[in-house]
Every structure is written in C-alpha cells, then in structure tokens.
Amino acid sequence: MTPDTAVIGTDGLDGLVAALVRRGRTVVGPTVRDDAIVLAELESARELPYGWGVELEAGTYRLRRRDDRMAFSHSAGPQSWKQYLHPQRVRQWSADRGPDGTVRVTEETDRPPAYAFLGVRPCDLAAIATQDRVLMGGPHTDDVYRRRRTGAFLVVVECVEPGATCFCVSMGTGPAAHGSYDLALTEVDDERGHRFWARAGSEAGAEVLAELPRLPADPATADTARDVVARAAGRMGRTMPEVDLRDLMRDTREAERWNDVAARCLTCGNCTMVCPTCYCTTTEDVTDLTGDHAERWRRWDVCYDLDFTHLPGGSVRQTGRSRYRQWLTHKIGTWHDQFDMSGCVGCGRCIVWCPVAIDITEEAHALNAERAAGPRTGANGTETPEGDGRP
C-alpha cells in the first residue's frame, strides 16, 4: 500500500530527485547561480539553495545567507515555470530551396523532455493552472504547451516565509497549496530537526513517496507545518484592495492615476517577461544571406511594444499610459471575462523586476482611493473628468 503522507528529511529530497531521474524525468528546481536563485536542471538535491534566502523590494533583489539550512525559504525568483512550459522561442518550420528551385518545408515538432518540477510555489502552481486554462482550456489548444505540460510531475512547496513583495493571500493562491499536484512539501526546522511534511496528490506522487526514506506522518509535524504556513499568510508584504478588482478596473478607465504611472513607466515590458501567466506571442521570419534557407520562429511578445497593436492606420495604443493601462486592466480585470479567473497570482515578480519600482498593488490601491474620492470639482464648480481623455 503506497503512503499518502509521510515525513522526509534531506535524504528524502536526495531520494526524490534520484527517483524522478530513474523514471527518465528531467528534474528542474531552484539553485544559486549568478547572485540569484534561478531555475535550472538538477542532477542532485544537493544543488538546492540550502541556507540561502532573498531580500525583495520594489525594483530590488538581493541574495542573502540565512542562519539555517532551509532549502525553500526564499521567494519567487526572476524566472517562472513558464519558460519550460511556454518557452520564449520556438521554431515552427524551416524551408530550403534546392538547386532546381524546389522549396521543401519542414514543420518542427517540439519534443520536450518529461519534466519534473521541484519547488513549485503555490502562486506558481496557480499560474500553471491559469496557463492551462488559457492555452489548453479553449477550442484552440497550443500544441507546444500541451506536449510540455501533459505528464509533467509537479512537486509544490508551501511558503513559510513570504517576501516583502508577495501578495498571494489577496489573490487566493497561497501560501498553502491548492489545486492539482503530484507531491506537496512543507519545510519545517525546529528543535526536532529539519524535515518536510510530504503529501501525495496523485497516484504517481504516492508511488514516488513510497520509494523515499521516510517516517510516518506524525501529528506534531503536521500541526507545525500547518502553523508555519498559517503564520506566513499573516505576514504578506503587500495586499490588493479588498474590492472587486474587475469592477475597479472598469470604473477607473479615465482615472488621473494612469497619468502618474505613465510618467514613470519605461514601457520596457519587464513585468510581462517575468510574469508567470502572460502568454502573448508573435512570429518572426528569418533567412540566410543566400535566401535559400528560411525559418519561422514564435517568440514572446509584450503589450508594451508600440507595434503590438499595429494596424494599417498605425498603432492603436500610442501612449505609454494606454499600454500600461491595457496590461493592468487585462491582468486583474478583463482576464475574468475571457477565462473566468484572474491573470494575477500575487507572486510579486513584476514589482521586484520593474527597473523604476512600479508596484501593481500600489497602483490598485491608488485607483481605488481615487474612485472613492469621486469626481473632482473645477474652479467654476463643474465636475472635471477623472483623466485627460488620452487613449
């Protein structure tokens, strides 16, 4: 009989990676590289960032040494699992012209490895579910995503130490694990030692758990694990206003606050690159110098690009104000209309990696305050519009 719950130590993590590798899986997890905690292929659990944490603020990321040997007490890094499931560049086809002028077109078929993701945060688990809905939940399935996502083994790790830019509680995505996963771990380090409360969420997860060096799940460890996650929920670094965000975005389309953020936004698109749910792509064709070989590539695109909405008459959204407004109103507003869910999971990456420290939660609170204040009154006693009317 396979176990559904158990307690494992660091030797259990070693066994977990080994068990997944034996099954022919490519294990991806966090590790320290280039002064950051990044996602990379792991050959051993010894590559995990034991004893490392991070300091986060708007526009700021710093790696720091911890006073313990915790492996997962760090917040989301610059990468998300999107780079493996919805890669930044994918070749779609290539074409070659032979000496006789005949053109042969070869369609590319993505053949991804069987992934195992170790250390998926609950917010990122929600992000994967969001991309499942966007890229596989409608009538038109993204085959590249489907091939990479189908059968991926997910090991989610609950958060016990949120960062200063985290707001998963506001978005209902953490710090406890919800949704579909194969294994869930909660890391505990107290007077009884450094260990993990492990739960299987699938038959495949239970089979792997049964192979690991483990102890029965004792009530004390389970209670401690639940407690540290509950305390983490009360220590979020950021919050969203407690209002219907879809209504907030609808009611503040002409708010003055959009002018304020436009004066700071560089329209660089960093927020969309690090966002675990942004999914927009474009295509580009390239040829060699002879013109006898051509390729079509799909790559990530950003709604901050002036050409993103280019039509024969020009770009629809010509100002930085309109492009930032489009991103934010779609992310936490009209995404609900398209997919019956929010496009934001509260990971805080867009706050950390914005070069001018624009904070999505600060902007939402400011818009809510402006809406609550109502229309302004001009010098002649008439109401003035909330914004300047620019697109």
Side-chain angles (χ1 to χ4, degrees):
M1 180 177 179
T2 56
D4 292 326
T5 62
V7 173
I8 65 173
T10 54
D11 59 338
L13 283 187
D14 294 335
L16 174 59
V17 174
L20 293 171
V21 170
R22 283 197 302 272
R23 286 165 166 75
R25 292 188 176 275
T26 297
V27 180
V28 179
T31 191
V32 174
R33 185 175 298 170
D34 299 328
D35 294 322
I37 295 178
V38 300
L39 298 178
E41 294 185 15
L42 304 179
E43 295 181 1
S44 165
R46 292 187 295 273
E47 298 175 75
L48 292 169
Y50 287 106
W52 286 101
V54 294
E55 295 177 359
L56 306 177
E57 253 308 334
T60 302
Y61 179 98
R62 294 286 186 275
L63 195 64
R64 65 174 178 86
R65 270 291 186 183
R66 296 178 55 87
D67 297 328
D68 54 36
R69 289 285 295 165
M70 297 281 276
F72 298 104
S73 281
H74 54 84
S75 301
Q79 302 159 310
S80 71
W81 309 97
K82 178 175 74 172
Q83 73 180 68
Y84 295 96
L85 297 176
H86 183 50
Q88 188 170 7
R89 297 185 77 237
V90 175
R91 186 164 60 186
Q92 296 182 298
W93 52 257
S94 60
D96 293 281
R97 181 166 55 199
D100 60 353
T102 302
V103 175
R104 185 182 75 256
V105 178
T106 304
E107 183 178 357
E108 294 288 334
T109 301
D110 186 47
R111 294 182 176 85
Y115 281 120
F117 295 154
L118 171 59
V120 179
R121 297 297 182 181
C123 60
D124 279 341
L125 183 66
I128 292 173
T130 300
Q131 290 223 314
D132 287 350
R133 173 70 181 87
V134 172
L135 299 175
M136 295 197 306
H140 305 290
T141 297
D142 185 304
D143 287 335
V144 172
Y145 183 87
R146 177 184 55 78
R147 285 191 289 266
R148 290 168 170 264
R149 175 68 177 93
T150 302
F153 191 96
L154 304 183
V155 182
V156 62
V157 176
E158 295 185 309
C159 288
V160 300
E161 188 173 311
T165 55
C166 295
F167 57 101
C168 62
V169 168
S170 289
M171 307 313 295
T173 60
H178 303 286
S180 178
Y181 55 80
D182 295 289
L183 282 176
L185 305 177
T186 309
E187 190 171 16
V188 174
D189 190 4
D190 57 17
E191 65 278 0
R192 298 181 60 208
H194 184 196
R195 60 203 188 280
F196 301 84
W197 182 40
R199 291 91 70 201
S202 70
E203 183 177 341
E207 290 176 358
V208 171
L209 185 58
E211 297 180 14
L212 309 183
R214 66 193 185 280
L215 295 172
D218 59 288
T221 296
D223 290 343
T224 300
R226 293 189 188 99
D227 181 61
V228 293
V229 172
R231 283 190 276 119
R235 303 200 315 272
M236 290 288 114
R238 295 290 199 277
T239 64
M240 277 289 190
E242 295 182 2
V243 298
D244 188 311
L245 296 176
R246 177 169 45 178
D247 290 346
L248 176 62
M249 293 297 100
R250 181 198 62 212
D251 296 342
T252 57
R253 287 192 299 267
E254 298 303 325
E256 180 63 27
R257 183 68 183 190
W258 299 116
N259 298 327
D260 179 90
V261 71
R264 293 174 283 136
C265 180
L266 304 178
T267 66
C268 65
N270 260 23
C271 52
T272 67
M273 295 291 101
V274 297
C275 178
T277 65
C278 279
Y279 59 87
C280 291
T281 60
T282 187
T283 57
E284 60 181 5
D285 295 334
V286 296
T287 64
D288 63 6
L289 292 177
T290 67
D292 291 331
H293 178 79
E295 297 177 352
R296 171 163 290 179
W297 289 78
R298 187 183 78 179
R299 62 172 176 81
W300 290 352
D301 202 2
V302 297
C303 51
Y304 288 93
D305 192 331
L306 188 60
D307 289 335
F308 186 80
T309 58
H310 185 78
L311 297 174
S315 295
V316 174
R317 302 185 187 97
Q318 298 185 5
T319 65
R321 174 184 186 270
S322 64
R323 296 199 290 280
Y324 182 87
R325 184 179 64 177
Q326 158 62 22
W327 176 75
L328 183 56
T329 56
H330 185 219
K331 184 64 59 178
I332 63 176
T334 55
W335 201 294
H336 288 277
D337 301 321
Q338 283 184 284
F339 307 115
D340 297 320
M341 63 198 320
S342 175
C344 177
V345 296
C347 68
R349 288 184 177 93
C350 60
I351 304 172
V352 173
W353 299 100
C354 175
V356 294
I358 293 173
D359 183 337
I360 186 176
T361 64
E362 179 185 348
E363 299 310 313
H365 278 286
L367 289 167
N368 188 48
E370 186 172 338
R371 180 178 65 167
R376 300 184 306 278
T377 302
N380 60 359
T382 60
E383 290 184 354
T384 59
E386 291 181 323
D388 64 356
R390 288 181 295 176

